[in-house]
Amino acid sequence: MGEVMDQLTEQQRNEVERQIAIYTQGVQDIIPSEDLEMKVAKSILENKPLKIKLGLDPSAPDVHLGHTVVLNKLRQFQENGHVIQLIIGDFTGKIGDPTGKSAARKQLTTEEVEHNAKTYFEQFGKIVDMEKVELHYNSKWLSQLNFEDVINLAGKITVARLLERDDFDQRISTGKPISLHEFFYPLMQGYDSVMLECDIELGGTDQHFNILMGRHYQEKFGKEKQVAMLMLLLEGLDGVEKMSKSKKNYIGIDEAPQEMYGKAMSIPDSLMTKYFELVTDLTPEELEKFKADIGSGKMHPRDAKMFLAKTIVRMYHGEEAAKKAEQHFVTVFQQGTLPDDIPIVVWRGAEKISVIDLIVELKMLSSKSEARRMIANRGVKINGEKVEDTNWQVTIADDLIIQVGKRRFVKLQLV
Amino acid sequence: MGEVMDQLTEQQRNEVERQIAIYTQGVQDIIPSEDLEMKVAKSILENKPLKIKLGLDPSAPDVHLGHTVVLNKLRQFQENGHVIQLIIGDFTGKIGDPTGKSAARKQLTTEEVEHNAKTYFEQFGKIVDMEKVELHYNSKWLSQLNFEDVINLAGKITVARLLERDDFDQRISTGKPISLHEFFYPLMQGYDSVMLECDIELGGTDQHFNILMGRHYQEKFGKEKQVAMLMLLLEGLDGVEKMSKSKKNYIGIDEAPQEMYGKAMSIPDSLMTKYFELVTDLTPEELEKFKADIGSGKMHPRDAKMFLAKTIVRMYHGEEAAKKAEQHFVTVFQQGTLPDDIPIVVWRGAEKISVIDLIVELKMLSSKSEARRMIANRGVKINGEKVEDTNWQVTIADDLIIQVGKRRFVKLQLV
């Protein structure tokens, strides 16, 4: 490695450092990190882009913010002239689960694989420049392998090494069955890297083992070994579990601006910085400034989260939509924020009653004229909506919230 | 099974019993034994021969008595009208060992495989009728499998099941590596049984696991399950290790009659009955009589062993050759048996000397005329060979044995 660095001009060396600073941001682990530096240096010296691999499961094409962690990292490489290699694992998808036990891994037709891939790419286009991306379907080479090739592939790895993978290890020790074919999924992923001569493979920390298979097989096949770049896993809106569709704790990048903004505002405060780092397009400098402002108290956490929400909406729907989503949120939610301790009144009156009578009956104001004046001044809300009409007939319901002025609230409870 | 038996006439039922009595002789384990009875009964009822499988490793085609244990069993099936399926594992042979670690499993060319197979068959012809045997090369179907087929095959077995195989289990627990491709050899053996719809597979007890793979895969592929018939392993001439070429404790079935007879005479007494049972063509009745005669002392163990040796030679070289081998043995070895306490004489004389001078010099006789008379009476032997020529010039060597008359011996020792 030292050798490559020695051949660089000072300007080139600065460029290596600049790129490394960007690539390492928000990354959990780089294996081995000296190889990343060497690869970047070599690419600058030889003016040859690096090949950055991301493998995709063709069975679940809905893209949410959890996916964008790696996509944003890919974009950074792309912005610096490197080539993204997207690999659709269609060979696996077309096989399905031969044991028939996993409903999730049902066999996909060629049409389904292509449809799902198209769905992916439409969404990816919001983050990376899809025109510059290399697309690959791994069935192209994997379907060509015969039994002898497979034996040769299998001869280059030991059973003990495969049993080191956390989930295999766990299942062996708890007596849960592992079907032999499952051993082949990491092998395939490794072989993909051999075929495409990938320089770097991206994935979540849960892909640690599988991505190292790429290094293993590239070495066995006499290729330069790829670097494993493991991104932090993004917790979902619940703040606990990894963001995923099945856990319903996700923000889809195709969701409507208002929904996206609202969901973003429900992210736990403790995860705000992580979200900024992993799913926004802030520069390292902007990120540092933001962290400092939060730390010093110069920025209120609520304002920070609104900035996060607005940034996310802007990234996927543009500036204008982000502004509108924020306005909507302020109007509907923030200005109408309810206190935690609203007094509850058990309602034994009529099912329908005029808003004026309701306010007086609940003793929220002492006279009908006061109530009429308050409505005229737009100071009365039912369930967060401003009452405009003094003659409005309210339909009573359980949990109906009446607000008079800024501070007085009542919640109804039916007997 | 009961159903099949119920449909048989009494005569047919007797025939089932007769065959079962032959097939079970000398067998260590039949899994499951009720299936063997059912298969034989069905074959008699439907007048349809059973398919009896034996798998062969194409890399080591020298056939010794250890191999004949299964071959004799095959012959019994053949004599009762069933069909022998010999499977040359040429697919494995052509792959070799992809890790390159096992020198024994080097990659074979098509020509080598065919040559080795031919060598096998020439030798097998001494035991079974090769014209009635079905020959199969498993590359015919295994080389047709693609990666998807292999995944499907692998999906029908668990890792835990494979790790149950004794040698795998042992290597895992002692930390010795198992290369993943090794898991495929039992799978292939199992798949062969699927393709050929075998009824019974024969093998040594060391093939227990692999033969049960045939049952496993036949069931997974919706076929009738084969019966595993496990033969006792034959200890070699050392009386301890399994007979094998590498251990040099074997009797090859292509060896010359005299050599074969002599080696057979060196079988330990304790193994004689086992050899009679496993490697000769004695009928169950003859075997019983022989055991009784030995037990009652009616037959001397040495005579029994000579009968064994003669029987083995007769099986592979015919009656005439067997008789000659026995005569040779009696003449050279038995009548010329050397005493344990031959006096050793350190020889400081010439390197070449006439036999007459030698006898006198060693003081075995007192004069040249006595020596000449003794030679004329065929009473002098050098290294067990009778001296015919009184002018013979003996070349002196270490351990040279000179015998004069019945009792006088001298062994030379060079300085």
Side-chain angles (χ1 to χ4, degrees), chain B residues 280-304:
Chain B
T280 70
D281 53 5
L282 262 58
T283 62
E285 296 76 32
E286 289 171 321
L287 200 64
E288 282 316 307
K289 187 178 176 305
F290 164 82
K291 280 185 194 169
D293 286 353
I294 286 272
S296 68
K298 196 173 157 188
M299 192 179 223
H300 188 281
R302 196 199 51 232
D303 296 335

Side-chain angles (χ1 to χ4, degrees), chain B residues 49 91 166 181 235 274 277 287 377:
Chain B
F91 183 71
D166 286 347
H181 77 283
E235 290 89 349
K274 192 170 180 184
E277 199 159 39
L287 200 64
N377 290 335

